Amino acid sequence: TLLGATAYLTWKYALNEPKTLAEIKDGLGDLFDTARDKWDEWDLGNFTNVLDNLDDFSFGDLFNEDPKQGDNTTLTWDDDFVQIRNGGLHLTLRNALDDTWQDEFEYAVADWQESDALVLTAEKVEVDHDCERVDGVMVVCNANFGATGWVGINENMIMRGVIVGSVSKMNEYYLLNAEYDHRRYTMCHELGHGFGLPHTDENPYNENLGNCLDYTDDPEENLLPGEVNMAKLRNMYLTRRRRRVQKDGTVVETTHLIKR
């Protein structure tokens, strides 16, 4: 039977063919220990095996596994989230971060809110280390994703060529014990991708451009969005009005959204 076959396979391969009751107990104990270790690996909220610091890393090298590297596509959110007449992008950011990330999140949101093309609403929700996606909002979360080679990542959900949902993830394997500037830079960087912005430069070892979408080995100089990204956001989400005077003197005003 299936039950008998399962018991045999457990005895032979999982418990290493124990001959006595004591060996069975020892084997089961080892099996449970292994299962617990595996569960800890899968538990994104388990921060016991993270790095003590980033001293053994060049921060610039932690962009090598960035899936957005080399992709300079500018994306925009669906029109449902963009208000005409210069209303800009109206977006809710669901703060699913734990308490250790609140300062970095609040500063980054305030910095991006300086854009006249963004109207952001931060909504504190239950901490979610699984980083579940929610349609129509940007979820911001932290978890231990392990030695992935990236300190943070943004995942935009695209439908018919536009963004309909976004998740910005902070990787605690690298960032839990990192310096504040590394954490704040990463937060600003991933939020920027969540708005649809690409990188401004992908060489972390050249001169810093002073914006958080510029790869850097020295994040202290690149903590803010920067004017280059503010200008891009205006082109993405604000309207432009053009006026012309007809032969009879009538003034015609045309308003259109600058997108795509």
Side-chain angles (χ1 to χ4, degrees):
T1 66
L2 179 61
L3 182 61
T6 301
Y8 172 76
L9 292 173
T10 302
W11 170 81
K12 182 173 180 62
Y13 295 107
L15 301 180
N16 297 317
E17 301 183 22
K19 301 295 192 299
T20 67
L21 182 60
E23 289 179 351
I24 292 175
K25 289 181 178 179
D26 289 342
L28 287 173
D30 293 340
L31 184 61
F32 290 141
D33 288 342
T34 300
R36 184 172 57 251
D37 291 342
K38 289 297 182 183
W39 174 256
D40 288 343
E41 292 178 12
W42 298 329
D43 181 6
L44 298 177
N46 175 19
F47 300 157
T48 58
N49 61 339
V50 302
L51 297 177
D52 292 332
N53 51 61
L54 295 180
D55 291 350
D56 294 333
F57 290 86
S58 167
F59 191 69
D61 290 344
L62 294 176
F63 300 105
N64 293 339
E65 301 302 323
D66 186 347
K68 293 187 185 293
Q69 189 176 49
D71 181 3
N72 291 318
T73 304
T74 298
L75 300 168
T76 54
W77 277 78
D78 187 89
D79 290 346
D80 289 344
F81 304 97
V82 182
Q83 293 191 5
I84 61 172
R85 303 184 186 279
N86 290 320
L89 172 65
H90 286 239
L91 187 63
T92 296
L93 278 60
R94 288 173 62 95
N95 175 2
L97 299 153
D98 64 28
D99 290 342
T100 66
W101 277 95
Q102 297 308 308
D103 281 351
E104 292 88 338
F105 175 77
E106 290 174 8
Y107 276 114
V109 172
D111 292 337
W112 281 110
Q113 185 66 84
E114 290 295 315
S115 168
D116 52 3
L118 299 177
V119 178
L120 306 177
T121 301
E123 176 187 1
K124 187 71 177 77
V125 297
E126 185 176 351
V127 174
D128 181 14
H129 296 307
D130 291 327
C131 300
E132 294 288 338
R133 177 175 69 89
V134 179
D135 291 341
V137 304
M138 187 196 305
V139 174
V140 187
C141 56
N142 64 302
N144 179 10
F145 298 101
T148 58
W150 47 261
V151 292
I153 193 171
N154 172 267
E155 298 171 345
N156 285 326
M157 276 54 71
I158 309 299
M159 184 177 297
R160 297 185 299 276
V162 294
I163 304 173
V164 296
S166 183
V167 181
S168 290
K169 302 177 178 180
M170 312 299 127
N171 189 353
E172 295 285 39
Y173 179 79
Y174 300 101
L175 294 175
L176 181 69
N177 298 311
E179 295 181 6
Y180 177 78
D181 287 347
H182 294 91
R183 293 162 59 91
R184 183 169 171 182
Y185 167 87
T186 305
M187 179 66 70
C188 180
H189 186 102
E190 302 310 334
L191 294 190
H193 285 321
F195 302 133
L197 292 165
H199 296 133
T200 55
D201 180 76
E202 292 186 340
N203 181 354
Y205 301 108
N206 60 5
E207 183 178 356
N208 284 325
L209 300 180
N211 72 82
C212 63
L213 284 165
D214 169 32
Y215 280 0
T216 181
D217 193 44
D218 184 13
E220 180 181 359
E221 298 181 0
N222 281 6
L223 296 180
L224 302 177
E227 179 53 34
V228 63
N229 290 308
M230 296 300 189
K232 289 180 180 179
L233 288 171
R234 287 192 290 271
N235 287 333
M236 293 160 62
Y237 294 119
L238 291 184
T239 56
R240 177 176 298 165
R241 289 185 174 91
R242 292 180 178 176
R243 291 186 176 185
R244 70 180 188 276
V245 180
Q246 296 182 332
K247 291 181 179 180
D248 63 0
T250 303
V251 177
V252 177
E253 183 179 83
T254 302
T255 303
H256 63 279
L257 191 63
I258 305 300
K259 298 184 69 176
R260 296 183 268 287

